[in-house]
Amino acid sequence: MIALRNTNEIQKISAACKISAQALKVAEEYMKPGISTKEIDTAIYKFIVSTGAKPNFLGYGGFPGSACISVNNVVIHGIPSKSVILKQGDIVSVDVGAVYDGFHGDNAYTFTVGEISDEAKQLLKVTEECLYKGIEQATVGNRIGDISHAVQAHAESFGYGVVRKFVGHGVGKKLHEEPEVPNFGKAGRGVRLAAGMVLAIEPMINLVGEDVNVSSDGWTVTTASGSLSAHFEHSIVITDQGPKILTKA
Ligand code: MG
């Protein structure tokens, strides 16, 4: 059952999304050599609770952080750690959400530490473009497959690997709701999109190959090839006037 949110619910989801987006701005301040991913997580935690919201990742399935912080070849679900220290040239994906007044927000951004390689720059640019190409397709009467196909086609036109194992999702009263929003698929297939659907669209794109491994900690997802991976995410609502991004600071 896919929820269609009313105006009041969308306002509440927007409030949670705004805090989620502001949490990414907090993270951005810490993208410096010598900073540990645990320090970033602590700053995010303090910010989110200061707003009266709660970090919705903390304790989710036992996850120990307020944000997933995934460096270089880590695709998603990196556990914040005192022993993961940022260095010049790293790319750092931060995925964070807040729950406020019973509703959830979710977003992600891949940051850079100092100067990064040209191939990393292009991966980040293209992955963010994939997100916006997906969002463009989130219109009334289109289907989930239109979003999926737009993301996949753009990434693969650069020879990149689209992660299959993890997908976007509905977001609202829970962090993860129906429908699934894959980053691969056929245009014109899948659930028909309607006004009031709130989706977290989140391309996860590998420089080389689509395969990923889950580490023995049960969380950390890495590229099978060892290559870099990028992740960008917005929570959006579908309206009769088109998609509206809710995760804006
Ligand atoms: Mg998500």
Side-chain angles (χ1 to χ4, degrees):
M1 171 76 193
I2 300 170
L4 299 179
R5 300 298 178 191
N6 64 34
T7 308
N8 180 48
E9 291 171 320
I10 290 166
Q11 274 175 3
K12 290 184 174 186
I13 296 171
S14 296
C17 284
K18 187 174 181 187
I19 296 164
S20 306
Q22 288 169 333
L24 284 179
K25 295 285 173 203
V26 170
E28 187 171 21
E29 307 279 311
Y30 287 80
M31 294 297 151
K32 293 176 184 136
I35 300 280
S36 76
T37 57
K38 178 73 183 170
E39 284 172 79
I40 302 169
D41 188 66
T42 300
I44 286 172
Y45 174 82
K46 285 183 179 163
F47 168 72
I48 291 176
V49 299
S50 79
T51 67
K54 283 186 185 153
N56 50 13
F57 290 16
L58 186 61
Y60 187 97
F63 189 77
S66 296
C68 298
I69 307 182
S70 306
V71 181
N72 294 333
N73 66 316
V74 180
V75 181
I76 51 168
H77 299 171
I79 297 174
S81 167
K82 281 179 186 162
S83 61
V84 178
I85 310 289
L86 302 187
K87 57 186 193 312
Q88 199 76 235
D90 282 345
I91 64 170
V92 184
S93 302
V94 179
D95 190 352
V96 62
V99 54
Y100 185 70
D101 200 11
F103 287 86
H104 290 260
D106 188 9
N107 64 175
Y109 192 92
T110 303
F111 298 100
T112 60
V113 183
E115 262 305 294
I116 61 167
S117 68
D118 287 345
E119 70 173 2
K121 268 183 207 161
Q122 183 179 267
L123 176 69
L124 268 49
K125 177 173 179 282
V126 171
T127 305
E128 191 169 19
E129 287 168 357
C130 284
L131 170 59
Y132 288 98
K133 285 182 182 289
I135 291 171
E136 267 175 30
Q137 295 298 319
T139 56
V140 174
N142 262 7
R143 292 179 183 269
I144 288 286
D146 295 307
I147 299 173
S148 306
H149 176 74
V151 171
Q152 179 181 16
H154 191 59
E156 291 185 349
S157 74
F158 288 84
Y160 296 151
V162 176
V163 174
R164 297 325 201 240
K165 199 173 167 138
F166 298 91
V167 297
H169 49 94
V171 57
K173 287 189 177 168
K174 289 189 289 183
L175 174 57
H176 295 120
E177 296 187 348
E178 288 179 58
E180 289 196 339
V181 187
N183 296 304
F184 59 97
K186 290 198 166 69
R189 301 282 179 87
V191 169
R192 195 177 284 283
L193 303 177
M197 285 183 186
V198 181
L199 304 176
I201 299 175
E202 49 177 322
M204 300 156 219
I205 307 295
N206 300 340
L207 193 60
V208 179
E210 66 195 50
D211 293 340
V212 297
N213 296 322
V214 180
S215 110
S216 57
D217 65 21
W219 285 107
T220 313
V221 176
T222 56
T223 55
S225 65
S227 80
L228 297 175
S229 185
H231 182 205
F232 289 83
E233 176 180 27
H234 274 308
S235 298
I236 63 115
V237 60
I238 297 170
T239 78
D240 289 320
Q241 289 76 42
K244 185 177 176 216
I245 295 172
L246 300 177
T247 35
K248 287 217 159 144

mmCIF file of all heavy atoms in Angstrom, residues 32-49:
data_model
loop_
_atom_site.group_PDB
_atom_site.id
_atom_site.type_symbol
_atom_site.label_atom_id
_atom_site.label_comp_id
_atom_site.label_asym_id
_atom_site.label_seq_id
_atom_site.Cartn_x
_atom_site.Cartn_y
_atom_site.Cartn_z
ATOM 1 N N LYS A 32 37.446 17.865 6.260
ATOM 2 C CA LYS A 32 38.840 18.329 6.306
ATOM 3 C C LYS A 32 39.750 17.169 6.685
ATOM 4 O O LYS A 32 39.345 16.299 7.473
ATOM 5 C CB LYS A 32 38.975 19.422 7.375
ATOM 6 C CG LYS A 32 38.225 20.682 7.001
ATOM 7 C CD LYS A 32 38.269 21.718 8.105
ATOM 8 C CE LYS A 32 37.412 22.921 7.709
ATOM 9 N NZ LYS A 32 36.575 23.413 8.794
ATOM 10 N N PRO A 33 40.979 17.180 6.179
ATOM 11 C CA PRO A 33 41.928 16.129 6.559
ATOM 12 C C PRO A 33 42.110 16.098 8.074
ATOM 13 O O PRO A 33 42.153 17.145 8.716
ATOM 14 C CB PRO A 33 43.233 16.553 5.869
ATOM 15 C CG PRO A 33 42.824 17.464 4.768
ATOM 16 C CD PRO A 33 41.578 18.158 5.242
ATOM 17 N N GLY A 34 42.191 14.881 8.623
ATOM 18 C CA GLY A 34 42.431 14.726 10.056
ATOM 19 C C GLY A 34 41.178 14.538 10.888
ATOM 20 O O GLY A 34 41.253 14.173 12.060
ATOM 21 N N ILE A 35 40.011 14.816 10.296
ATOM 22 C CA ILE A 35 38.738 14.656 11.016
ATOM 23 C C ILE A 35 38.298 13.187 10.906
ATOM 24 O O ILE A 35 38.383 12.581 9.843
ATOM 25 C CB ILE A 35 37.660 15.564 10.379
ATOM 26 C CG1 ILE A 35 38.062 17.036 10.450
ATOM 27 C CG2 ILE A 35 36.289 15.302 10.978
ATOM 28 C CD1 ILE A 35 37.816 17.705 11.769
ATOM 29 N N SER A 36 37.814 12.625 12.009
ATOM 30 C CA SER A 36 37.305 11.246 11.947
ATOM 31 C C SER A 36 35.821 11.263 11.592
ATOM 32 O O SER A 36 35.109 12.249 11.851
ATOM 33 C CB SER A 36 37.510 10.534 13.287
ATOM 34 O OG SER A 36 36.556 10.986 14.233
ATOM 35 N N THR A 37 35.360 10.147 11.020
ATOM 36 C CA THR A 37 33.937 10.085 10.663
ATOM 37 C C THR A 37 33.068 10.073 11.926
ATOM 38 O O THR A 37 31.916 10.479 11.886
ATOM 39 C CB THR A 37 33.630 8.873 9.762
ATOM 40 O OG1 THR A 37 34.039 7.664 10.410
ATOM 41 C CG2 THR A 37 34.339 8.998 8.424
ATOM 42 N N LYS A 38 33.638 9.651 13.046
ATOM 43 C CA LYS A 38 32.912 9.702 14.324
ATOM 44 C C LYS A 38 32.656 11.148 14.745
ATOM 45 O O LYS A 38 31.572 11.479 15.248
ATOM 46 C CB LYS A 38 33.718 8.960 15.390
ATOM 47 C CG LYS A 38 33.102 8.978 16.772
ATOM 48 C CD LYS A 38 31.892 8.078 16.862
ATOM 49 C CE LYS A 38 31.251 8.177 18.239
ATOM 50 N NZ LYS A 38 29.946 7.496 18.243
ATOM 51 N N GLU A 39 33.659 12.024 14.520
ATOM 52 C CA GLU A 39 33.464 13.448 14.868
ATOM 53 C C GLU A 39 32.314 14.053 14.055
ATOM 54 O O GLU A 39 31.525 14.852 14.569
ATOM 55 C CB GLU A 39 34.740 14.253 14.578
ATOM 56 C CG GLU A 39 35.853 14.077 15.589
ATOM 57 C CD GLU A 39 37.129 14.758 15.115
ATOM 58 O OE1 GLU A 39 37.241 15.993 15.234
ATOM 59 O OE2 GLU A 39 38.027 14.039 14.604
ATOM 60 N N ILE A 40 32.256 13.670 12.794
ATOM 61 C CA ILE A 40 31.180 14.187 11.930
ATOM 62 C C ILE A 40 29.827 13.692 12.457
ATOM 63 O O ILE A 40 28.868 14.454 12.572
ATOM 64 C CB ILE A 40 31.379 13.716 10.468
ATOM 65 C CG1 ILE A 40 32.736 14.179 9.941
ATOM 66 C CG2 ILE A 40 30.245 14.229 9.588
ATOM 67 C CD1 ILE A 40 33.129 13.551 8.603
ATOM 68 N N ASP A 41 29.789 12.420 12.805
ATOM 69 C CA ASP A 41 28.540 11.821 13.299
ATOM 70 C C ASP A 41 28.083 12.498 14.591
ATOM 71 O O ASP A 41 26.885 12.759 14.773
ATOM 72 C CB ASP A 41 28.768 10.324 13.526
ATOM 73 C CG ASP A 41 27.479 9.599 13.843
ATOM 74 O OD1 ASP A 41 26.609 9.546 12.943
ATOM 75 O OD2 ASP A 41 27.328 9.101 14.971
ATOM 76 N N THR A 42 29.030 12.787 15.463
ATOM 77 C CA THR A 42 28.689 13.433 16.739
ATOM 78 C C THR A 42 28.101 14.821 16.492
ATOM 79 O O THR A 42 27.109 15.213 17.112
ATOM 80 C CB THR A 42 29.942 13.523 17.636
ATOM 81 O OG1 THR A 42 30.414 12.193 17.862
ATOM 82 C CG2 THR A 42 29.638 14.184 18.968
ATOM 83 N N ALA A 43 28.701 15.563 15.554
ATOM 84 C CA ALA A 43 28.195 16.905 15.228
ATOM 85 C C ALA A 43 26.779 16.816 14.651
ATOM 86 O O ALA A 43 25.904 17.632 14.984
ATOM 87 C CB ALA A 43 29.129 17.585 14.233
ATOM 88 N N ILE A 44 26.560 15.811 13.812
ATOM 89 C CA ILE A 44 25.228 15.620 13.224
ATOM 90 C C ILE A 44 24.210 15.279 14.319
ATOM 91 O O ILE A 44 23.105 15.837 14.354
ATOM 92 C CB ILE A 44 25.280 14.505 12.148
ATOM 93 C CG1 ILE A 44 25.981 15.024 10.889
ATOM 94 C CG2 ILE A 44 23.881 13.983 11.831
ATOM 95 C CD1 ILE A 44 26.244 13.952 9.840
ATOM 96 N N TYR A 45 24.595 14.392 15.213
ATOM 97 C CA TYR A 45 23.698 14.014 16.317
ATOM 98 C C TYR A 45 23.293 15.243 17.126
ATOM 99 O O TYR A 45 22.109 15.485 17.379
ATOM 100 C CB TYR A 45 24.373 12.969 17.222
ATOM 101 C CG TYR A 45 23.547 12.658 18.449
ATOM 102 C CD1 TYR A 45 22.489 11.752 18.371
ATOM 103 C CD2 TYR A 45 23.796 13.299 19.668
ATOM 104 C CE1 TYR A 45 21.694 11.501 19.486
ATOM 105 C CE2 TYR A 45 23.008 13.049 20.780
ATOM 106 C CZ TYR A 45 21.961 12.146 20.688
ATOM 107 O OH TYR A 45 21.171 11.908 21.778
ATOM 108 N N LYS A 46 24.322 16.021 17.508
ATOM 109 C CA LYS A 46 24.047 17.205 18.339
ATOM 110 C C LYS A 46 23.126 18.178 17.614
ATOM 111 O O LYS A 46 22.214 18.753 18.212
ATOM 112 C CB LYS A 46 25.357 17.908 18.707
ATOM 113 C CG LYS A 46 26.127 17.150 19.776
ATOM 114 C CD LYS A 46 27.391 17.900 20.169
ATOM 115 C CE LYS A 46 28.145 17.143 21.257
ATOM 116 N NZ LYS A 46 29.528 17.598 21.386
ATOM 117 N N PHE A 47 23.378 18.367 16.311
ATOM 118 C CA PHE A 47 22.521 19.290 15.557
ATOM 119 C C PHE A 47 21.078 18.783 15.523
ATOM 120 O O PHE A 47 20.143 19.540 15.823
ATOM 121 C CB PHE A 47 23.031 19.486 14.119
ATOM 122 C CG PHE A 47 21.998 20.176 13.288
ATOM 123 C CD1 PHE A 47 21.737 21.530 13.487
ATOM 124 C CD2 PHE A 47 21.206 19.462 12.387
ATOM 125 C CE1 PHE A 47 20.718 22.167 12.786
ATOM 126 C CE2 PHE A 47 20.194 20.099 11.686
ATOM 127 C CZ PHE A 47 19.952 21.448 11.884
ATOM 128 N N ILE A 48 20.893 17.527 15.160
ATOM 129 C CA ILE A 48 19.521 17.027 14.977
ATOM 130 C C ILE A 48 18.738 17.097 16.301
ATOM 131 O O ILE A 48 17.600 17.580 16.320
ATOM 132 C CB ILE A 48 19.509 15.601 14.385
ATOM 133 C CG1 ILE A 48 20.012 15.639 12.932
ATOM 134 C CG2 ILE A 48 18.098 15.006 14.431
ATOM 135 C CD1 ILE A 48 20.135 14.272 12.261
ATOM 136 N N VAL A 49 19.353 16.672 17.394
ATOM 137 C CA VAL A 49 18.603 16.717 18.661
ATOM 138 C C VAL A 49 18.354 18.162 19.112
ATOM 139 O O VAL A 49 17.345 18.436 19.771
ATOM 140 C CB VAL A 49 19.244 15.864 19.785
ATOM 141 C CG1 VAL A 49 19.297 14.395 19.395
ATOM 142 C CG2 VAL A 49 20.616 16.370 20.169
#
